[in-house]
């Protein structure tokens, strides 16, 4: 399949990388190669790539910052797309007593938050310190106890499975804890409707949230953030901790000493080490509490 993908795409004039190691593009620093890796820069280019994949039945997926992904060491036998060009643009507009921030799906969350703060727009501070893109965050409905990306969303522009582009208002979508109805689409861009606030107030909130994150999370080592979703009324890290699993190591993967719901790559972790650790945690927590923890990270 890999050679067929390379052959088809080599003849189409796309700027691309062949056999690109995906470990370079994930925060876990884990993941084997993809035969074809492309950074589309326009809607048309993205539409053409997706339609070529569909015409040839080639698997494909959009990779944001790879901060919620565990990719197999064997790699992904398909086309990986990382949005650039028009997809990393932002725009701010004043609308009465509100600020509208438009952001392409490839805009990173730190850049989105900075754009908001620079334009006195409050409402995205809750995302401070999360290393994703607008597209990935909308698919995951990324957030914290202070709020999530969907809170101030007003509309999104998406590529539909049939190749058409449409705008969807927030009331046409559903969002819940780490879930959104956008998963069937490719997110192209989003608009957020935010409240005016003094820049110092916004920056203070961002700083406080980032400091808290640095105190409680292992940010200097590769990971994909929280591995499991919190079950209703419970904290996954507490359930894992109660099983005495903090610090447990399999191969190069370890349950963080700092945050028991983080698995860290201590340097040479294989995807199989992380998967084994995930299964061990699920088994022990199930035995101890009857609760089956559901992964928050996407495993490919
Ligand atoms: C240190 C650390 C801390 C974290 N803290 C948090 C936290 O506090 N809260 C939280 O919710 N998450 C957290 N995360 C997880 C992660 O950062 C978020 O889920 C993030 O929003 C994922 O965005 P991404 O661009 O990296 O997506 P990726 O990991 O690249 O992709 C995630 C999914 O989204 C899909 N996707 C990406 N872009 C698009 C698009 N444009 N259209 C359609 N599908 C798309 C991918 O195909 C994949 O299925 C943390 C991660 C790390 C490493």
């Amino acid at each position: 399949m890999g050679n067929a993908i390379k052959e088809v795409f080599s003849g189409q004039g796309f700027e691309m990388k062949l056999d690109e190691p995906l470990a370079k593009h994930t925060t876990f620093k884990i993941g084997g190669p993809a035969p074809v890796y492309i950074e589309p820069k326009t809607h048309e280019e993205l539409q053409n790539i997706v339609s070529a994949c569909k015409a040839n039945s080639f698997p494909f997926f959009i990779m944001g910052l790879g901060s919620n992904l565990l990719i197999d060491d064997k790699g992904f036998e398909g086309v990986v797309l990382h949005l650039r060009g028009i997809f990393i643009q932002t725009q701010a507009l004043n609308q009465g007593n509100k600020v509208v921030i438009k952001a392409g799906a490839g805009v990173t969350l730190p850049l989105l938050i900075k754009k908001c703060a620079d334009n006195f727009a409050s409402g995205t501070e809750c995302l401070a310190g999360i290393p994703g893109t607008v597209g990935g965050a909308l698919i995951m409905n990324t957030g914290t106890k202070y709020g999530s990306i969907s809170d101030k969303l007003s509309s999104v522009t998406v590529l539909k499975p049939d190749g058409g582009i449409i705008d969807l208002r927030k009331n046409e979508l559903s969002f819940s804890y780490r879930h959104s109805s956008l998963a069937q689409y490719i997110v192209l861009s989003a608009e957020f409707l935010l409240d005016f606030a003094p820049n110092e107030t916004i920056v203070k909130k961002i700083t406080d949230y980032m400091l808290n994150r640095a105190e409680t999370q292992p940010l200097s080592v590769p990971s994909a953030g929280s591995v499991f979703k919190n079950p209703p009324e419970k904290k996954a890290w507490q359930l894992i901790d109660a099983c005495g699993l903090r610090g447990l190591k399999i191969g190069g993967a370890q349950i963080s000493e700092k945050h028991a719901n983080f698995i860290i790559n201590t340097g040479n972790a294989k995807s199989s080490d992380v998967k084994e650790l995930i299964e061990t945690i699920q088994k022990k927590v199930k035995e101890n509490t009857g609760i089956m923890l559901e992964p928050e990270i996407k495993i490919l």
Side-chain angles (χ1 to χ4, degrees):
M1 167 86 91
N3 285 339
I5 297 172
K6 284 188 242 178
E7 208 168 291
V8 165
F9 276 89
S10 297
Q12 308 235 1
F14 295 118
E15 206 180 299
M16 61 189 179
K17 291 179 180 167
L18 301 181
D19 298 322
E20 177 71 355
L22 297 179
K24 273 169 62 179
H25 303 280
T26 63
T27 54
F28 243 144
K29 303 290 171 224
I30 294 173
V36 169
Y37 176 94
I38 311 182
E39 297 188 343
K41 294 173 188 64
T42 62
H43 286 176
E44 195 189 354
E45 195 183 352
L46 176 65
Q47 283 171 305
N48 289 340
I49 296 164
V50 170
S51 78
C53 288
K54 289 191 171 170
N56 291 282
S57 303
F58 295 154
F60 66 93
F61 84 96
I62 307 285
M63 177 179 264
L65 272 199
S67 64
N68 210 37
L69 295 177
L70 174 63
I71 297 178
D72 199 280
D73 293 321
K74 289 198 195 96
F76 175 75
E77 191 80 338
V79 178
V80 175
L81 302 166
H82 180 67
L83 304 177
R84 303 293 291 171
I86 190 178
F87 302 106
I88 55 169
Q89 290 177 1
T90 56
Q91 198 187 353
L93 302 162
N94 290 349
Q95 198 176 86
N97 60 350
K98 300 273 186 186
V99 189
V100 175
I101 299 285
K102 297 183 179 185
V107 170
T108 63
L109 297 179
L111 196 73
L112 173 72
I113 294 164
K114 182 174 184 313
K115 183 79 179 180
C116 293
D118 289 349
N119 287 279
F120 310 99
S122 174
T124 57
E125 301 91 301
C126 59
L127 305 171
I130 304 179
T133 59
V134 166
L138 283 167
I139 294 292
M140 303 303 304
N141 194 20
T142 292
T144 61
K145 61 182 171 185
Y146 304 109
S148 62
I149 186 150
S150 57
D151 292 352
K152 299 289 177 182
L153 181 75
S154 57
S155 67
V156 282
T157 304
V158 297
L159 181 63
K160 293 188 294 173
D162 69 6
I165 291 178
I166 49 163
D167 292 329
L168 294 166
R169 309 291 310 165
K170 186 178 172 184
N171 62 13
E172 297 175 85
L173 301 165
S174 66
F175 292 95
S176 55
Y177 172 64
R178 302 299 167 267
H179 176 268
S180 100
S181 59
L182 283 167
Q184 58 184 305
Y185 303 113
I186 294 178
V187 179
L188 304 178
S189 61
E191 267 190 38
F192 301 91
L193 189 60
L194 301 149
D195 299 312
F196 271 109
N199 178 270
E200 315 81 76
T201 313
I202 298 172
V203 171
K204 169 136 191 8
K205 265 195 196 172
I206 293 171
T207 311
D208 288 349
Y209 292 161
M210 303 252 308
L211 285 174
N212 179 259
R213 199 171 270 277
E215 270 169 27
T216 56
Q217 298 182 356
L219 301 182
S220 59
V221 277
S223 79
S226 291
V227 174
F228 297 102
K229 292 183 185 178
N230 289 323
E233 317 293 324
K234 306 258 186 241
K235 297 275 180 223
W237 75 263
Q238 285 174 339
L239 301 177
I240 298 166
D241 214 17
C243 296
L245 294 173
R246 199 180 275 258
L248 179 71
K249 202 170 172 193
I250 295 181
Q254 185 178 25
I255 300 175
S256 166
E257 295 278 6
K258 200 166 182 182
H259 192 309
N261 196 17
F262 274 53
I263 291 179
I264 56 169
N265 177 357
T266 61
N268 56 354
K270 296 191 178 74
S271 59
S272 55
D273 297 336
V274 179
K275 284 179 195 165
E276 216 179 302
L277 211 40
I278 287 173
E279 281 162 18
T280 304
I281 295 169
Q282 284 176 316
K283 186 167 172 282
K284 295 271 186 208
V285 170
K286 176 87 177 147
E287 277 167 13
N288 212 25
T289 64
I291 296 169
M292 186 64 180
L293 288 177
E294 187 192 337
E296 177 176 323
I297 58 172
K298 304 247 179 195
I299 301 174
L300 291 177

